[in-house]
């Protein structure tokens, strides 16, 4: 049997976008790779050489048992060990908001990879704004399902915040993509405020 | 578990013991396993001398494929041998990695050709201090040059070449075996497709050296050691070797495992005896460990192999940085540690992983939750076995070898 040994991929909307952005046969590092589903997808469809870092030991052991190259580690502390330009793409999928120092993590990602793909839930999404405005409670959504006291997400940001940070860091936003609540792409020519209001999540392709 | 005296002389009839010793002795020069002899084909050692004629004893399991691409080299630990997955010719016990190596097991001999060789400096058929020196016709004893982990690997490399294998699919091993895996990656990286160092470190810590020194001193303090010439005099430093094993064995297990297994329970008695018999079960257990070890191991080999581990220091060998050892590596790595291993704690594995990351290597690192201590890599640990199976399967896919069916 020569079937892929990867886990059955979860339906993750940002994965579809990320798969479009990655070139075939490239070398990628997936930071916060979870159970390795994205790595497995990219290995089978794009023939990439994928490595991953994951903080949760159970996830790591499962991913390795499936034949993926994953290291147990913390994005906040362990990225410093990687050399410059070690990867074609470094991917940070739905993980930025869980890091202690997002800016430092981003700096490391852009140092390690020639390109960097970041996906994150947009805290400026209208549904989020509405929950806070109307109910006066910390919002919970499909992408942010945990209560404020149990979530590992500690640094929420909006699309606007992220663009401002990129600007401040002098990072080139090569391609921004925002997805609305039904997973559809927000038109390319829509203004930023529209993205920020109607994007439930965003995927950014960045370059130094 | 038998009640035995500390020198291991047990309640065994003398003739049976002599018979056992004779069988063990004959394995040293004439092993019942396969053996590759290198006559007048010198092996150069780190100590600056070379062995003109030497031999390496090994076992194989499974079948080498036509492309010679599915060979896995297993590297054994300090007191292991080539009998990884077969009954031991002297003790009659199962192989040391019977749990992992075999048809359908994590190191699947239905798919991989597994080679396990006795290390240089050992006493189960590879040239070591107990072997007969062809120059003198007597056992080498202390005239055997001190060997290093790199020397062991050099000897293995000669064997692999002798077997007509250019690139190993994988090199796998725990503890001292893990050091050999690291050395393979550092010295012959382009000939190792995948490497799996388990419960090991890039160097021996001062604490580890200290424990080894206790073992060596107890052997050398035994009057029957005779300056290392005990074989010529028909003797054996049983007490010293047994104590060395007892001290070492403590480092292989965890406090939690000792508690679970023995606690402070007494051995075959209701009350303490107010004497120095083995009142506690743990004492009796250690004495048993010591005595059975004496039956299968050579004291001088123990000195040489512990020394080899003490000397191992990848950073020192490579201008002070472990990462230098792996520069440009294309090997796929998987580093494994166990939570309760205090001989080679997880921090030691992390050092290796960080060094590999620093070279941009493709690396996996799993820490297995276990309370069995250092010895966990030899025992039944399903999650560990799953990781080994998965890593080898993933690597097999990458190398284009028909892989075993994936774990579930």
């Amino acid at each position: 049997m020569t079937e892929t040994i990867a886990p059955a991929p979860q339906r993750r909307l940002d994965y579809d976008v990320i798969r479009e952005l990655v070139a075939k046969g490239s070398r990628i590092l997936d930071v916060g790779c979870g159970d390795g589903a994205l790595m497995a997808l990219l290995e089978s469809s794009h023939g990439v050489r994928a490595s991953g870092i994951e903080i949760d030991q159970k996830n790591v052991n499962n991913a390795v048992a499936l034949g993926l190259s994953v290291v147990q580690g913390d994005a906040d502390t362990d990225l410093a060990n990687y050399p410059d330009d070690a990867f074609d793409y470094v991917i940070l999928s739905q993980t930025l908001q869980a890091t202690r120092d997002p800016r430092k993590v981003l700096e490391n990602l852009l140092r390690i990879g020639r390109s960097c793909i970041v996906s994150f839930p947009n805290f400026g999404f209208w549904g989020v704004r509405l929950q806070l405005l109307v109910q006066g409670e910390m919002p919970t959504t499909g992408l942010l399902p945990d209560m404020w006291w149990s979530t590992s997400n500690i640094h929420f940001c909006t699309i606007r915040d992220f663009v401002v940070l990129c600007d401040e860091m002098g990072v080139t936003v090569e391609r921004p993509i925002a997805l609305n609540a039904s997973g559809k792409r927000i038109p390319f020519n829509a203004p930023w405020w529209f993205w920020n209001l109607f994007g439930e999540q965003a995927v950014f392709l960045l370059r130094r | 578990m038998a009640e035995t005296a500390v020198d291991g002389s047990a309640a065994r009839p003398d003739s049976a013991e002599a018979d056992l010793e004779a069988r063990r002795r004959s394995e040293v020069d004439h092993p019942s396993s396969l053996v590759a002899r290198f006559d007048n084909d010198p092996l150069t050692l780190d100590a600056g001398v070379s062995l003109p004629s030497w031999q390496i004893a090994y076992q194989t399991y499974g079948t080498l494929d036509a492309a010679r691409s599915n060979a896995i080299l297993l590297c054994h630990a300090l007191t292991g041998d080539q009998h990884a997955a077969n009954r031991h010719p002297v003790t009659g016990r199962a192989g040391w990695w019977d749990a992992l190596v075999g048809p359908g097991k994590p190191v699947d001999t239905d798919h991989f050709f597994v080679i396990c060789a006795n290390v240089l400096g050992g006493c189960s058929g590879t040239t070591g201090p107990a072997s007969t020196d062809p120059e003198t016709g007597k056992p080498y004893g202390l005239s055997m040059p001190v060997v290093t982990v790199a020397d062991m690997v050099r000897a293995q490399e000669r064997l692999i070449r002798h077997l007509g294998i250019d690139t190993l699919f994988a090199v796998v091993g725990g503890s001292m075996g893990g050091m050999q895996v690291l050395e393979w990656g550092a010295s012959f990286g382009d000939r190792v497709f995948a490497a799996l160092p388990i419960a090991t470190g890039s160097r021996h810590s001062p604490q580890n050296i200290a424990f080894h020194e206790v073992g060596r001193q107890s052997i050398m303090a035994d009057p029957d050691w005779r300056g290392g010439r005990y074989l010529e005099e028909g003797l054996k430093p049983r007490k010293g070797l047994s104590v060395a094993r007892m001290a070492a064995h403590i480092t292989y297990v965890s406090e939690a495992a000792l508690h679970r297994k023995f606690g402070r329970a007494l051995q075959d008695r209701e009350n303490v005896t107010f004497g120095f018999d083995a009142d506690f079960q743990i004492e009796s257990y250690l004495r048993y460990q010591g005595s059975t070890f004496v039956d299968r191991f050579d004291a001088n080999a123990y000195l040489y192999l512990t020394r080899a581990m003490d000397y191992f220091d990848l950073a020192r060998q490579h201008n002070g940085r472990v990462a230098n050892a792996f520069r440009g590596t294309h090997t796929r790595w998987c580093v494994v540690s166990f939570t309760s291993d205090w001989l080679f704690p997880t921090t030691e594995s992390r050092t290796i992983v960080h060094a590999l990351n620093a070279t941009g290597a493709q690396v996996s690192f799993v820490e297995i939750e276990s309370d069995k201590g250092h010895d966990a890599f030899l025992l039944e640990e399903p999650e560990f076995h799953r990781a080994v199976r998965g890593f080898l399967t993933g690597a097999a896919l990458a190398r284009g070898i028909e892989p075993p069916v994936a774990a579930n």
Side-chain angles (χ1 to χ4, degrees), chain B residues 224-350:
Chain B
D224 286 346
W225 183 60
R226 304 288 166 107
R229 286 187 309 276
Y230 53 89
L231 288 173
E232 287 173 58
E233 301 188 21
L235 293 167
K236 187 172 185 173
R238 296 183 149 270
K239 289 194 174 75
L241 182 56
S242 160
V243 171
R245 174 63 170 184
M246 289 167 73
H249 194 81
I250 299 168
T251 69
Y252 301 153
V253 290
S254 70
E255 171 76 346
L258 286 181
H259 256 287
R260 183 168 30 105
K261 235 166 138 178
F262 307 109
R264 288 179 50 88
L266 300 181
Q267 177 77 30
D268 302 332
R269 65 202 69 187
E270 297 290 312
N271 297 300
V272 296
T273 60
F274 295 100
F276 296 101
D277 282 350
D279 277 2
F280 295 100
Q281 281 180 10
I282 176 63
E283 295 172 320
S284 171
Y285 170 72
L286 283 181
R287 291 180 187 194
Y288 170 76
Q289 285 293 335
S291 75
T292 53
F293 183 60
V294 167
D295 291 339
R296 68 178 177 87
F297 217 79
D298 174 70
N300 282 341
Y302 194 84
L303 301 181
Y304 277 76
L305 298 185
T306 54
R307 207 61 186 144
M309 286 182 82
D310 292 350
Y311 281 170
F312 187 67
D313 184 346
L314 263 189
R316 188 148 177 267
Q317 288 164 244
H318 296 90
N319 300 323
R321 285 192 69 211
V322 180
N324 291 341
F326 305 122
R327 191 154 294 213
T329 183
H330 291 292
T331 304
R332 291 167 71 103
W333 292 85
C334 180
V335 180
V336 180
S337 73
F338 298 91
T339 50
S340 56
D341 183 350
W342 57 279
L343 196 60
F344 289 102
T346 291
T347 49
E348 301 287 333
S349 286
R350 269 192 201 288

Side-chain angles (χ1 to χ4, degrees), chain A residues 146-151:
Chain A
D146 300 319
M147 299 297 286
W148 64 272
W149 44 266
S150 70
T151 180

Side-chain angles (χ1 to χ4, degrees), chain A residues 34-161:
Chain A
D35 62 1
L38 176 62
M39 290 170 62
L41 268 175
L42 289 171
E43 280 190 352
S44 59
S45 66
H46 286 57
V48 301
R49 255 177 85 199
S51 299
I53 305 181
E54 167 60 30
I55 200 161
D56 179 70
Q57 191 63 60
K58 275 264 161 310
N59 272 338
V60 175
N61 296 5
N62 284 331
V64 173
L66 290 164
L68 299 164
S69 292
V70 178
V71 165
Q72 196 277 329
D74 183 340
D76 273 300
T77 53
D78 291 1
L79 290 175
N81 299 307
Y82 289 82
D84 299 355
D85 292 322
F87 297 90
D88 298 315
Y89 299 90
V90 182
I91 298 170
L92 191 68
S93 155
Q94 307 286 353
T95 301
L96 183 68
Q97 72 278 4
T99 62
R100 283 187 298 280
D101 190 344
R103 181 174 174 145
K104 208 177 96 202
V105 168
L106 264 181
E107 274 168 9
N108 266 320
L109 297 183
L110 288 155
R111 179 183 63 77
I112 298 167
R114 271 181 268 282
S115 295
C116 172
I117 300 170
V118 182
S119 76
F120 58 91
N122 174 26
F123 214 68
F125 176 58
W126 65 266
V128 172
R129 298 191 198 193
L130 199 65
Q131 276 190 50
L132 192 58
L133 184 71
V134 175
Q135 293 170 301
E137 289 172 352
M138 281 303 277
T140 53
T141 69
L143 283 173
L144 307 167
D146 300 319
M147 299 297 286
W148 64 272
W149 44 266
S150 70
T151 180
S152 54
N153 300 328
I154 51 177
H155 280 122
F156 291 118
C157 69
T158 68
I159 290 177
R160 184 184 296 276
D161 290 329

